[in-house]
Amino acid sequence: MNLIRPYGDTLNDGKVQLSFTLPIPDGARALEAARELVLKWGFKECEIVHSAPLSAGFTFFVAYAQTEITIDFDTVVADEASKEAPMTMDETDDFIRQQIGRKVIIVGACTGSDAHTVGIDAIMNMKGYNHHFGLERYREIQAYNLGAQVPNEKLIAKARELNADAILVSQVVTQKDIHLHNMTEFIELLEAEGVRDKFICVAGGPRISNKLAIELGFDVGFGRGSYADDVASYIVRTLKERLDHPRI
Amino acid sequence: MRKKLGLSQDKIDEARALSKQICTPVLEFIDRHSSVTVERATLRLAGADLANEDGVPVPNLVVQQLASTPDGLEGGALRPYLTAMVKTGLTPEALNQKIADGLKLTEFSPIPDRDLELKAGQLIDRAEARIQKNRAFRKEKQAEGKNHDPLLYLIVATGNIYEDVKQATAAAEQGADVIAVIRTTAQSLLDYVPYGATTEGFGGTYATQENFRIMRAALDEVGEKLHRYIQLTNYASGLCMPEIAAMGALERLDMMLNDSMYGILFRDINMYRTFVDQKFSRMIDAWAGITINTGEDNYLTTSDAYEKAYTVLASQFLNERFAFAAGLPEHLMGLGHAFEMDPSITNGFLFELAQAQMAREIFPNHPLKYMPPTKFMSGDIFKGLAMNSLFCFVSKATGQGIHLLGMLTEAIHTPFMMDRYLAVENAQYVMNAMAGFEDEVEFKEGGIVKTRAAEVLDRTLAFLREIAQKGLFESIAQGDFADVKRPKDGGKGLEGLIAKGDHYWNPFESHLKRVLHLSDGSANEGGLQ
């Protein structure tokens, strides 16, 4: 057992900071409403340290509160794409040379109506993101970034044409769950064409979790804070495994 | 504005001369062409509106009918529309209904030119009156109230125009001077403008004329209460640049995102199509007193902001030249740039300051549009707020014109109401606390800021020389901008390009050229005086 709570300035004091907006005008009643609401959420103490009117009928609050709820850290299992630490770019290139013996082909796009290239660019562009080089920089990887607003059909056709090992699907916009529709359609199309098992299917985006991606039929999902290192390491390791143990 | 960087005026003049040299052949191409959306924009200015039962807008129906005739669209779309109007004696509104119900314009026999000219004159007068009324109203309200300097610009993006109204009203009450209603993600690639009020969109709201009208009325109402005119912005980009501009002109929008090359580079729209579309859209903007916002910030979100700073300045020069050629005066050119350098760069703040001050000095009369950090915004909202504070500092310290407020939750979700409040509060704190800074401070001779600005100008000159040699079309094809290669005959929308025939007739275009003092094929400055 390893029971933990948030740490303010003393172990297990359970202090948290909150900020939120209520659709009411500012004033003494608003402050009390905010405080009582926080207590109703199960916090034991609450102090509203700041309030400000946002517009005629809305007020913003900053609150500090204390919780007694704990979690047993020993029982927590992470939702991670891989338990192994990612390899660096050079390690991945070495791995490909030694274990796979040919170039690894990866095709990626931001699919559907989503126009945001920022995610797929961060993973694929030469430059990469935040000092993590992108897949185009890897000597042993042939990376094809098709950009944004790419229909699922086109992405799959390109992957088949290039005989790709892996397909990356980036989804940034998640308003009204459009990403779920897009990702589901992608897997359904692969299955309809009978080529789902030909590719390692990787989903990514700030609100994509590994769990969600797997539920939708992908092999893996990478969320916020993932870099090309994570994606490349996963792909080459999985590819090696598949080459060693081909599915029938 | 006092010049502090000691930039070489000769080099700035050379950059402008090169830009003119680069744009002239493109402008000659533009003048020989129209496009389906230029024709539809013209129809809209003449009164075409409405959609049929399948949601196909009347301007599209007219253009589709003509496209299937032997002469196609080379004579322009207005002649058959006005012929039908004269022959039936209907108002534009009644004719629109007939067309939506299936009326075939191609079945009317030709009428004498003088009858066409007479009808065109009436419709131009009608449009001109509406535009002049809009301009007069804007001018009067802006004189009455007081806005922030720089203008504080906030975005709403709920997908539902009625929800947008609530968010926009709250944003105005919090201090916004400009509201942009961001568009739904796929709209830039639609070759039509949807009709009517809309409540479904992804990552934004459809730009429709009815949505413009709804938001305009809401902002006028809250502006009246706040004694401050609230400007409304939309996006004249994608495959319908001139149509969006026309709708914006009619509904008194005040700003339009409008870049001469954005569609080509970032939306893979065909280059010929975009160049043709951007010019007509900018002529409409100039006529209606709409400030354009150019999209140089996009270069920096795709490429490195430190290394590629010169591409921003080069694009600003080209956007300026294309804008002059469309009759836009300097005070309506919101040339874009952004605070997008990697926050871990030592002295990154000084490099940003150098870039912003350089833009200010090279474009002294232009209301520069300054975009906030987005690329390096993470889930760390506290650091995000600190980065936005530095952005506000640079903006005020260099006298930027239009300040798009950064959100501390950028990269997490579309802004919450409280995110906008925190952004406005932060900007007002920073900008008030350093109100006199710009006037107080000089830059050290040989120091980081002056050296950096001079370097960027030099790289820009070298880059412009290279483009001038290759030609702009070739330069884009080779990937000189934003690291993307766009083949001349590739991209979307090329099939909608129209070579003007001998009998091409567009009295609205002629009218705009007349009032904007523009002549054919000229890269020279026109402009409403």
Side-chain angles (χ1 to χ4, degrees), chain A residues 137-151:
Chain A
R137 185 92 171 207
Y138 286 59
R139 286 173 188 282
E140 302 303 324
I141 290 177
Q142 283 176 3
Y144 298 86
N145 180 356
L146 306 189
Q149 298 191 327
V150 176

Side-chain angles (χ1 to χ4, degrees), chain B residues 95-106:
Chain B
L95 179 63
N96 293 338
Q97 187 59 58
K98 291 265 186 210
I99 295 169
D101 293 341
L103 177 73
K104 292 273 171 280
L105 297 181
T106 45

Side-chain angles (χ1 to χ4, degrees), chain A residues 17 19-21 50 52-56 58 60 113-115 121 125 127 129 131 149 173 175-176 178 207 224, chain B residues 157-158 170 173-174 185-186 189 201-204 267 302 304 307 342 344 375-376 382 411-412 417-418 421-422:
Chain A
Q17 56 193 21
S19 61
F20 54 91
T21 301
H50 177 69
L54 295 187
S55 70
F58 293 89
F60 171 63
S113 61
D114 196 341
D121 285 349
N125 275 12
K127 173 93 188 161
Y129 178 71
H131 311 291
Q149 298 191 327
V173 171
Q175 213 174 28
K176 294 175 187 139
I178 179 109
R207 301 183 115 174
R224 186 181 298 288
Chain B
T158 70
E173 287 176 354
Q174 285 158 23
T185 62
L189 300 183
F202 299 106
R267 287 289 179 269
T302 44
D304 183 79
E307 289 165 19
D342 184 337
S344 68
K375 190 178 179 182
F376 288 93
F382 304 101
I412 303 175
M417 195 188 274
M418 62 196 191
Y421 160 78
L422 290 167

